[in-house]
C-alpha cells in the first residue's frame, strides 16, 4: 500500500472516530466504549494473516497467540456489549 | 476470471463491507434506541471479515494454504468460545473488568502480530525488494517503525489492562507505590524505546524478546500506582491504545480494514479519555503519573454532620414533589441498584418526579452507573447528565446521594487549596434537602472532607445502601397506611 494513501485513510478514519464520539451524553459512553472495544477485535484478521505466513515453531506459536487473543477480543467484546445494551430500555417501551 | 482472483476480489469487497458496517454500527451506538442494532451490524461485519480471511489467497501468499497453520487458526478461533462463555456468565457488576480484559487481549494480539512480523523479517536474508515486502518476507523502514510502535502500544495495553482487570476484580487490592517510582518508570520506558530503535536498525531475535518483555513491564508499572477512581480514564485510554496499535498493524500487514477500524476506535477512545479527564479536571498525564489520592489537603470544614433516621427521611420523601437520586461507586459496592429502583418506583407511584443524576466519572468505567441502573430496570430516560440536571437542583425538594462523594463535594467550587478544586461537580448542595446514604463517616477516594455533609440542608442516613433503601420503602408504606409515627 502506498504510504500516502495509508496516511489519507488514517486521517479520514481519525476524523470519523472523532465525529462519532463528540457531543455524546454520558449514558452512551458505555455502548461507545464497549462497542469500539469490540470493533478493534478486527485485529483477529491480522493475527490470521500473521499465522498464515508462519513457518517456524516460534512463529506459529506467536501467530497462534495473536489469533487466540484477537478472537478473544472480538467474541468477548461482543458478548459483554450486547449484554449491556440489551438492558437499556426506555420507560416508553413498556419495559422497566 | 480465475478462482484466486475471484476470491481476492470477494475478500476485498468483504473487508470494505466490514469497514462500512463497523462505522455504521458505531454511529448507531450513539443512541440508546439503536445501540443494540449497532453492535449487531458491527458483529455481522466481523464474522464476514473473519470467514473470508480463511479462504482469501491474499492471506496465504504465494505458498498457498498451509494445512498446519490452517488447523491452528481454526483451533484458536474455536478456543475463543471460552471467552464467549466467560463474558456471557459474569454478573453485570463485573463489566468494568471484563471490558478491560477483552480490550487487553486486542492489544496483546496486535503486539503478537508485531512480534511475528519481526521474527519473520529477522530470518530474511535476501534483498528487501518491494515484492519481498508485499509478500510479508521483510519490512521497509516505515513498516518496521510502525511495527515497533504498534507492538509497544499493544503490549502496554495488554499488560496494563491485565493489571486493571486484577484491580477491578479485587485480586490486586492496593495501589502499589514506592519512592522514585516515576524516575524508575521513566528509565524503563526509555530503555524500551532504545531497544525499539535498535530493532529498526537491526532485527535480532534476542533483542525482539527483550523489547517485548520490557514493553510488558512498562504497562504493568504504569497501571500499578493508579487508584480505583481513576479507572474510567485508564480503561478508556487503553481502549484507544489498542485501537491505535491495530491501525499500525494494519499498515504493516497492508490491511485497510484494520487501519480504518483501529483508527476510528483510537480517535474515539482518545476523545472519550479526554472527556473523562476533563470531568475530573485533571490532565491525562496527571491521572497517569501523579499518584493522586495520597491524603487530605484543603481547608478545614467547620460544622457538624447531622444524622437522620429512616422514618424521618421517608417523611421528607413523602412530602417532596421533585426527587433526584445521585448514585456513585458506593452503590455498586453495596449492590443497591435494585433496591434503589424499587424505592424509585414507590416514589413514582406517589406522583413524585424522580430522576437520576450521573456524573461522567462516577464508577469504574465510562458510563458505569448507567449499566448498573439499566440492569436494575431503570429506564434510560430517567437518567440525566450533569450539565442538564445541575440548574434543576435549585427546584429539587430532596436529593438522595448514595455512594457518591467527591463528585458532589462543593469544595471543588469554593476551596482553591483543595486537590479537587475546579472539578465539575453535581450541584446537589443547591437542593432544598439532601439525604446522604453512607455506611460510615469516612472520606471519599481522594481523602478529602466533603463540605456537602456539613451543609445545613444535608442529613446523613448511616446505613448500607440496600438496607437504607429497604427501610425507606417500608417507612413510605407505613406512612401510606396511616400508621405514621
Amino acid at each position: 500500500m502506498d504510504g500516502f494513501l495509508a496516511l489519507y485513510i488514517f486521517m479520514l478514519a481519525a476524523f470519523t472516530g472523532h465525529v462519532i464520539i463528540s457531543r455524546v451524553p454520558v449514558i452512551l459512553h458505555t455502548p461507545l466504549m464497549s462497542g469500539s472495544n469490540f470493533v478493534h477485535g478486527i485485529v483477529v484478521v491480522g493475527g490470521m494473516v500473521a499465522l498464515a505466513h508462519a513457518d517456524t515453531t516460534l512463529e506459529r506459536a506467536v501467530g497462534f497467540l495473536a489469533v487466540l487473543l484477537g478472537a478473544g477480543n472480538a467474541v468477548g467484546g461482543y458478548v459483554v456489549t450486547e449484554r449491556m445494551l440489551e438492558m437499556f430500555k426506555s420507560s416508553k417501551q413498556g419495559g422497566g | 476470471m480465475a478462482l484466486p482472483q475471484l476470491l481476492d476480489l470477494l475478500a476485498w469487497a468483504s473487508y470494505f463491507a466490514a469497514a462500512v458496517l463497523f462505522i455504521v454500527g458505531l454511529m448507531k451506538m450513539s443512541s440508546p434506541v439503536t445501540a443494540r442494532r449497532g453492535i449487531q451490524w458491527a458483529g455481522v461485519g466481523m464474522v464476514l471479515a473473519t470467514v473470508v480471511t480463511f479462504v482469501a489467497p491474499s492471506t496465504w501468499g504465494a505458498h498457498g494454504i498451509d494445512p498446519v497453520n490452517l488447523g491452528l487458526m481454526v483451533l484458536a478461533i474455536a478456543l475463543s468460545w471460552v471467552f464467549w462463555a466467560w463474558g456471557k456468565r459474569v454478573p453485570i457488576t463485573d463489566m468494568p473488568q471484563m471490558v478491560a480484559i477483552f480490550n487487553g487481549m486486542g492489544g496483546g494480539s496486535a503486539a503478537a502480530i508485531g512480534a511475528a512480523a519481526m521474527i519473520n523479517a529477522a530470518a530474511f536474508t535476501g534483498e528487501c525488494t518491494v515484492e519481498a515486502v508485499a509478500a510479508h518476507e521483510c519490512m521497509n523502514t516505515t513498516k518496521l517503525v510502525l511495527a515497533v510502535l504498534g507492538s509497544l502500544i499493544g503490549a502496554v495495553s495488554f499488560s496494563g489492562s491485565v493489571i486493571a482487570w486484577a484491580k477491578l476484580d479485587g485480586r490486586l487490592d492496593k495501589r502499589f507505590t514506592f519512592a522514585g517510582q516515576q524516575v524508575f518508570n521513566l528509565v524503563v520506558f526509555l530503555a524500551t524505546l532504545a531497544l525499539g530503535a535498535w530493532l529498526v536498525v537491526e532485527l535480532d531475535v534476542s533483542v525482539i524478546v527483550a523489547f517485548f518483555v520490557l514493553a510488558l513491564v512498562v504497562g504493568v508499572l504504569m497501571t500499578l500506582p493508579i487508584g480505583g477512581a481513576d479507572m474510567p480514564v485508564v480503561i478508556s485510554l487503553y481502549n484507544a491504545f489498542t485501537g491505535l496499535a491495530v491501525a499500525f498493524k494494519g499498515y504493516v500487514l497492508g490491511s485497510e480494514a484494520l487501519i480504518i477500524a483501529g483508527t476510528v476506535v483510537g480517535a474515539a477512545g482518545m476523545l472519550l479519555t479526554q472527556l473523562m479527564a476533563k470531568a475530573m479536571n485533571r490532565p491525562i498525564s496527571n491521572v497517569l503519573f501523579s499518584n493522586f489520592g495520597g491524603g487530605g489537603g484543603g481547608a478545614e470544614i467547620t460544622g457538624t454532620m447531622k444524622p437522620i433516621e429512616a422514618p424521618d427521611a421517608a417523611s421528607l420523601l413523602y412530602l417532596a414533589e421533585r426527587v433526584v437520586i445521585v448514585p456513585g461507586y458506593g452503590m455498586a459496592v453495596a449492590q443497591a441498584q435494585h433496591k434503589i429502583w424499587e424505592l424509585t418506583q414507590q416514589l413514582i407511584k406517589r406522583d413524585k418526579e424522580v430522576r437520576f443524576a450521573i456524573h461522567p466519572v462516577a464508577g469504574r468505567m465510562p458510563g458505569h452507573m448507567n449499566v448498573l441502573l439499566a440492569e436494575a430496570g431503570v429506564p434510560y430516560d430517567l437518567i440525566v447528565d450533569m450539565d442538564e440536571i445541575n440548574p434543576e437542583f435549585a427546584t429539587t425538594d430532596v436529593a438522595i446521594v448514595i455512594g457518591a462523594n467527591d463528585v458532589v463535594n462543593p469544595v471543588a467550587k469554593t476551596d482553591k487549596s483543595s486537590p479537587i478544586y475546579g472539578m465539575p461537580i453535581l450541584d446537589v448542595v443547591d437542593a432544598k434537602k439532601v439525604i446522604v446514604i453512607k455506611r460510615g463517616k469516612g472520606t471519599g477516594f481522594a481523602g478529602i472532607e466533603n463540605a456537602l455533609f456539613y451543609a445545613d440542608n444535608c442529613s446523613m442516613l448511616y446505613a448500607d445502601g440496600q438496607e437504607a433503601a429497604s427501610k425507606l420503602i417500608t417507612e413510605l408504606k407505613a406512612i401510606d397506611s396511616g400508621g405514621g409515627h
Side-chain angles (χ1 to χ4, degrees):
Chain A
M1 191 185 331
D2 181 58
F4 269 100
L5 184 59
L7 209 57
Y8 278 112
I9 296 177
F10 194 76
M11 184 232 1
L12 290 174
F15 277 112
T16 307
H18 197 272
V19 168
I20 285 176
I21 202 142
S22 44
R23 285 176 302 154
V24 289
V26 175
I27 182 165
L28 300 173
H29 283 170
T30 302
L32 273 167
M33 182 200 50
S34 185
S36 61
N37 178 26
F38 161 68
V39 164
H40 64 49
I42 186 70
V43 72
V44 65
V45 167
M48 289 166 78
V49 173
L51 178 55
H53 286 81
D55 31 41
T56 65
T57 309
L58 178 62
E59 285 171 33
R60 286 207 166 101
V62 174
F64 181 79
L65 191 67
V67 179
L68 181 65
L69 289 175
N73 180 184
V75 300
Y78 184 87
V79 75
V80 296
T81 308
E82 243 257 325
R83 277 185 66 190
M84 286 193 272
L85 292 184
E86 196 180 8
M87 300 180 314
F88 280 63
K89 289 196 174 72
S90 157
S91 55
K92 291 165 200 96
Q93 281 167 253
Chain B
M1 207 187 299
L3 186 65
Q5 276 98 333
L6 201 67
L7 282 175
D8 262 337
L9 194 67
L10 177 72
W12 286 324
S14 302
Y15 291 144
F16 179 76
V20 173
L21 286 168
F22 289 157
I23 292 173
V24 174
L26 279 175
M27 281 164 79
K28 283 189 182 297
M29 275 181 243
S30 57
S31 152
V33 185
T34 55
R36 200 162 168 218
R37 222 167 312 141
I39 184 74
Q40 287 162 350
W41 282 48
V44 171
M46 191 70 75
V47 171
L48 191 66
T50 313
V51 169
V52 89
T53 304
F54 275 110
V55 294
S58 60
T59 307
W60 298 94
H63 307 296
I65 294 179
D66 177 325
V68 179
N69 290 347
L70 180 63
L72 286 172
M73 231 178 252
V74 174
L75 179 66
I77 289 180
L79 279 179
S80 74
W81 285 89
V82 173
F83 300 124
W84 177 280
W86 190 22
K88 201 88 187 164
R89 214 193 53 219
V90 296
I92 289 292
T93 36
D94 288 352
M95 281 300 144
Q97 53 266 47
M98 296 314 284
V99 170
I101 195 74
F102 290 135
N103 171 52
M105 286 182 192
S109 178
I113 292 170
M118 284 190 242
I119 293 166
N120 195 28
F124 182 74
T125 46
E127 193 191 343
C128 196
T129 57
V130 178
E131 289 76 29
V133 171
H136 301 301
E137 284 169 349
C138 64
M139 287 186 271
N140 59 29
T141 311
T142 319
K143 283 200 178 192
L144 202 47
V145 168
L146 288 179
V148 168
L149 278 180
S151 299
L152 173 60
I153 299 169
V156 166
S157 171
F158 174 69
S159 59
S161 294
V162 170
I163 298 293
W165 168 79
K167 284 186 173 218
L168 290 164
D169 211 41
R171 283 158 206 269
L172 195 68
D173 240 5
K174 51 181 184 235
R175 291 164 55 239
F176 176 82
T177 51
F178 57 87
Q181 190 169 25
Q182 289 169 26
V183 179
F184 180 75
N185 290 2
L186 186 68
V187 169
V188 176
F189 180 66
L190 290 177
T192 316
L193 279 187
L195 285 181
W198 184 341
L199 288 175
V200 174
V201 179
E202 196 192 333
L203 280 172
D204 178 276
V205 174
S206 54
V207 181
I208 295 173
V209 172
F211 168 75
F212 276 97
V213 169
L214 273 193
L216 290 170
V217 170
V218 169
V220 173
L221 288 175
M222 229 172 103
T223 321
L224 274 177
I226 298 173
D230 288 339
M231 280 302 163
V233 183
V234 173
I235 292 186
S236 178
L237 182 71
Y238 287 156
N239 189 34
F241 272 14
T242 303
L244 210 58
V246 171
F248 288 177
K249 295 303 147 187
Y251 183 78
V252 172
L253 298 172
S255 162
E256 289 87 351
L258 260 68
I259 300 183
I260 292 170
T263 310
V264 168
V265 173
M270 277 301 170
L271 190 62
L272 184 60
T273 311
Q274 271 170 1
L275 287 178
M276 293 290 120
K278 215 167 105 191
M280 293 178 146
N281 191 41
R282 293 158 63 200
I284 297 163
S285 58
N286 177 289
V287 174
L288 292 176
F289 306 122
S290 82
N291 303 344
F292 192 62
E300 283 288 307
I301 296 161
T302 51
T304 50
M305 296 196 212
K306 295 160 284 298
I308 190 171
E309 293 303 321
D312 299 327
S315 19
L316 281 178
L317 287 173
Y318 192 79
L319 297 171
E321 273 173 31
R322 293 156 68 92
V323 177
V324 174
I325 300 174
V326 182
Y329 182 60
M331 183 185 76
V333 175
Q335 295 278 320
Q337 61 271 27
H338 298 277
K339 279 288 168 204
I340 288 290
W341 173 228
E342 223 181 297
L343 173 65
T344 308
Q345 283 170 309
Q346 290 294 329
L347 292 171
I348 291 172
K349 225 165 74 185
R350 290 165 179 79
D351 290 327
K352 324 278 180 214
E353 188 198 84
V354 188
R355 278 169 311 164
F356 290 84
I358 311 277
H359 193 276
V361 292
R364 291 295 183 260
M365 71 171 172
H368 191 182
M369 289 302 125
N370 300 296
V371 174
L372 286 179
L373 293 174
E375 187 213 3
V378 178
Y380 58 76
D381 41 347
L382 296 188
I383 300 171
V384 191
D385 278 8
M386 178 169 65
D387 295 337
E388 222 175 300
I389 197 85
N390 265 348
E392 297 192 24
F393 276 113
T395 54
T396 297
D397 299 307
V398 179
I400 304 174
V401 177
I402 171 157
N405 195 336
D406 293 332
V407 297
V408 294
N409 192 347
V411 156
K413 285 191 162 170
T414 52
D415 180 7
K416 281 203 169 97
S417 67
S418 171
I420 58 167
Y421 180 74
M423 176 170 116
I425 57 158
L426 288 160
D427 296 326
V428 173
V429 75
D430 292 347
K432 286 171 196 144
K433 271 304 225 177
V434 181
I435 299 168
V436 177
I437 299 173
K438 205 168 174 304
R439 213 140 25 145
K441 295 190 179 184
T443 52
F445 164 73
I448 301 157
E449 283 287 357
N450 195 331
L452 172 71
F453 301 166
Y454 297 91
D456 291 332
N457 58 343
C458 179
S459 312
M460 310 295 290
L461 179 56
Y462 291 115
D464 167 77
Q466 274 201 44
E467 188 194 311
S470 308
K471 275 192 190 158
L472 288 175
I473 295 166
T474 320
E475 293 297 336
L476 268 178
K477 286 179 179 163
I479 300 174
D480 266 347
S481 60
H485 37 78

